[in-house]
Amino acid sequence: MANHRIHRTRRRGISLIEALVALAVMAFGMLSLVGVQATLRLNSDVSKQRAEATRIATEEIESLRLFKTLRPVNGQAGQSWDEITPRTVVVQPGNTGNTTFTMVRTVNNGTADMVAGANHKVVHVKVEWRDRTYVTQTVEIDSVVAGVDPVLSSLLAVAVLPSASNQRNGRHVTIPVDAVHLGNSDGRSAFKPSAAGNVVWLFNNTNGMITSRCSGVTAAQAAITSAVIAGATCAQINGRLVSGLVQFDLRLLTDGALDASAAQSPAGPVLPLSASAPLYFDPAHVSYVGHTAPAECVSRPGPGGAFAAAYYCLVFADASGWGGRLDVALADPLPDGSAASDYRVCRYTTSAQYYATNSDHPRTYCIERLGIANNTTPCYGRKVAVNLTNQNFLVIRNTQSCPTDVAADPANGDFVNSNTLQHQP
C-alpha cells in the first residue's frame, strides 16, 4: 500500500493588520505634508502683506519730509511742517489683494511735556492688518522730522554766488548802506542807528542778521572801527532788521481823494515821529510772538527830508522768527497843535488784502492767508526769519482815503505799483 504524504503549501502575503498600520502611517504623513503646505502658504501671505505694510509705513514717513514751508500758506494746505499732525488712514484692498490695512500716525514734538514750539517732531507710524487666520499683524516705524526750512537744505550742496540781489558792497543787501564794513577778517558791519545815541548794531555780512548790540559808542558812524567796537559793551543777540520810509502827504483836497500820484510823489510836509518809539509793536492791537524783548526803533531824516523820514527797527527775535503788527507813532501833541488822531497811516503793499507775504508788508506780519476770525490773531502763516526792507508807510489827513494803484505796466510807461492800504487807525 502506497504511502501518501500530505505536503503543506506555504502561503506568502500581508496580513490585514500590517496593511492598516501602513495606511495609518501614510495618512499621518499626508496630513503633515498638508499642514506644511498650509503653513508655507500662510507664511507666504504674511510675508507679502508685511512687505506691503512696510511700504505703506515708509511712504508715509517719507511724505512728511516733502513739506515746502514751515508755516501754512494760503492755497497750499498740507504742505507745511506745522501741518504734520496725527491721522488715521484705511488702505482698501487693491493691488494689495484682499487685505485691508489701517495706518495710524501719531506725532509729538519730541519732548516729554509736549511743549509747543519745539523744532522737531517725533513721528510714529503703525500699520495693522489681519492675516487669513484673523490674527492681527503690525509694522511700526519711528522717525524724527526736523523743523528746518527746506530752502536751507540747498546750502549744503549749492554755493551761493554773490549777486546784485544778495550782495552790495561785498555784504548782504539788507545791511544799511552807511553801515561801516569792519573788514573781511571780521566779517561784520557796524551801524549806528541814531547819530546822537551811543548804540551800535553789528550785522553779519553774509546773512545780514544782527548778531550783537553794543552800547557806549560815542564815535560818529564813519569813525567806527573794530578797535572802537572792542572797547564797547556788546551783547550777543538774535536780531532782525525792519526798515523803510514814513512818507507824508498832508494836502487838503476838496476835489476828491488822493490818487496814486500822491503815493508815488508825496508832497509832505514831514511830521515829527515819537522820540521814544517812532515805530512800535503794540500788544493792544495784536499779540506779537517771537520777541524776546521790546523792539528798538529809531528814525532819522530820509531822502528828500521835506516829505519822508527813514526808520530802522531792531527786533529781538527767537530762533524761529517773530510776528506782530508794526505801527507808526507820531509825536503827540504835534508842533502845530494838531493831534496824532488827526492823521491816517497807510502802508505800501501790492496786496489787496490785509494779509500778504511778510515781505509785501501785511497788516500783521506772520499772517499770510485768509481763514481766521479777525486780523489780530498772530502767526497764521510763516514767522519773519529774515530782514525786511522797504516796509514803507504814508501818512495822510484822516479826511482822506489811502490812495490805491494797479499793477505796474512798463509797456505803457507805468513802472511802479504805489498801492496803499489803510493801516492805522
Side-chain angles (χ1 to χ4, degrees):
M1 180 175 179
N3 294 327
H4 297 279
R5 291 185 179 181
I6 299 175
H7 296 279
R8 294 181 178 180
T9 303
R10 181 178 295 176
R11 291 181 173 85
R12 298 177 181 179
I14 300 175
S15 68
L16 181 60
I17 293 176
E18 290 174 332
L20 290 176
V21 170
L23 288 175
V25 171
M26 182 179 296
F28 281 117
M30 293 296 293
L31 288 175
S32 299
L33 182 60
V34 170
V36 169
Q37 291 291 337
T39 301
L40 289 175
R41 184 175 179 182
L42 174 61
N43 289 343
S44 176
D45 283 350
V46 171
S47 177
K48 179 181 178 181
Q49 293 163 353
R50 190 174 300 280
E52 183 64 21
T54 302
R55 182 193 65 79
I56 294 171
T58 302
E59 286 187 355
E60 180 69 14
I61 290 290
E62 293 304 318
S63 68
L64 301 182
R65 306 186 191 282
L66 300 179
F67 61 90
K68 297 181 179 179
T69 63
L70 293 180
R71 310 293 173 246
V73 177
N74 189 30
Q76 298 184 18
Q79 299 186 39
S80 70
W81 183 78
D82 277 354
E83 293 170 290
I84 299 176
T85 55
R87 72 166 186 159
T88 299
V89 176
V90 176
V91 181
Q92 299 293 345
N95 294 332
T96 61
N98 60 356
T99 307
T100 299
F101 298 90
T102 301
M103 190 280 297
V104 180
R105 182 177 80 195
T106 56
V107 181
N108 63 52
N109 68 344
T111 59
D113 54 356
M114 295 294 290
V115 177
N119 62 352
H120 68 281
K121 294 182 178 181
V122 176
V123 181
H124 176 77
V125 175
K126 180 179 181 180
V127 180
E128 291 185 341
W129 75 98
R130 287 187 176 183
D131 62 24
R132 64 171 54 224
T133 62
Y134 293 96
V135 174
T136 300
Q137 304 283 351
T138 61
V139 167
E140 300 182 49
I141 298 179
D142 293 293
S143 188
V144 175
V145 182
V148 179
D149 197 319
V151 72
L152 298 178
S153 62
S154 65
L155 299 179
L156 298 177
V158 180
V160 179
L161 300 178
S163 67
S165 62
N166 62 21
Q167 294 285 307
R168 179 177 57 199
N169 299 330
R171 58 192 183 185
H172 200 272
V173 70
T174 60
I175 298 175
V177 176
D178 54 344
V180 176
H181 197 311
L182 297 180
N184 292 332
S185 60
D186 188 291
R188 297 179 299 174
S189 289
F191 177 65
K192 194 174 186 181
S194 174
N198 64 359
V199 173
V200 167
W201 302 340
L202 296 182
F203 289 82
N204 181 309
N205 288 339
T206 301
N207 57 27
M209 301 296 101
I210 303 176
T211 57
S212 298
R213 180 186 183 277
C214 302
S215 59
V217 180
T218 58
Q221 176 70 69
I224 297 175
T225 62
S226 296
V228 171
I229 296 301
T233 302
C234 298
Q236 290 188 345
I237 60 173
N238 186 27
R240 303 290 187 270
L241 176 70
V242 183
S243 63
L245 296 177
V246 180
Q247 303 188 97
F248 297 82
D249 193 319
L250 307 183
R251 288 176 290 175
L252 290 170
L253 300 182
T254 58
D255 58 349
L258 295 171
D259 58 17
S261 63
Q264 292 181 18
S265 303
V270 169
L271 295 176
L273 301 180
S274 170
S276 59
L279 284 94
Y280 64 101
F281 291 90
D282 188 356
H285 287 166
V286 61
S287 299
Y288 49 80
V289 296
H291 299 243
T292 59
E296 182 178 301
C297 297
V298 298
S299 65
R300 56 168 68 176
F307 63 86
Y311 77 87
Y312 302 90
C313 287
L314 163 58
V315 182
F316 299 88
D318 63 23
S320 61
W322 60 272
R325 174 172 161 175
L326 183 64
D327 286 345
V328 176
L330 298 175
D332 199 6
L334 292 162
D336 61 0
S338 61
S341 58
D342 295 330
Y343 302 95
R344 174 169 292 142
V345 178
C346 315
R347 72 181 181 282
Y348 286 88
T349 177
T350 58
S351 174
Q353 299 88 12
Y354 63 78
Y355 61 92
T357 58
N358 291 322
S359 60
D360 197 27
H361 204 176
R363 189 171 194 178
T364 302
Y365 295 105
C366 208
I367 292 182
E368 294 187 316
R369 59 177 175 172
L370 188 63
I372 54 179
N374 53 60
N375 61 358
T376 63
T377 303
C379 270
Y380 201 74
R382 287 174 289 191
K383 288 185 178 181
V384 181
V386 297
N387 293 343
L388 296 178
T389 59
N390 297 319
Q391 305 297 290
N392 303 322
F393 296 93
L394 176 67
V395 178
I396 61 177
R397 295 187 182 273
N398 62 9
T399 56
Q400 298 291 325
S401 300
C402 293
T404 59
D405 197 5
V406 296
D409 185 7
N412 292 316
D414 184 1
F415 298 96
V416 179
N417 183 350
S418 299
N419 185 68
T420 67
L421 294 177
Q422 183 172 330
H423 189 74
Q424 296 169 246

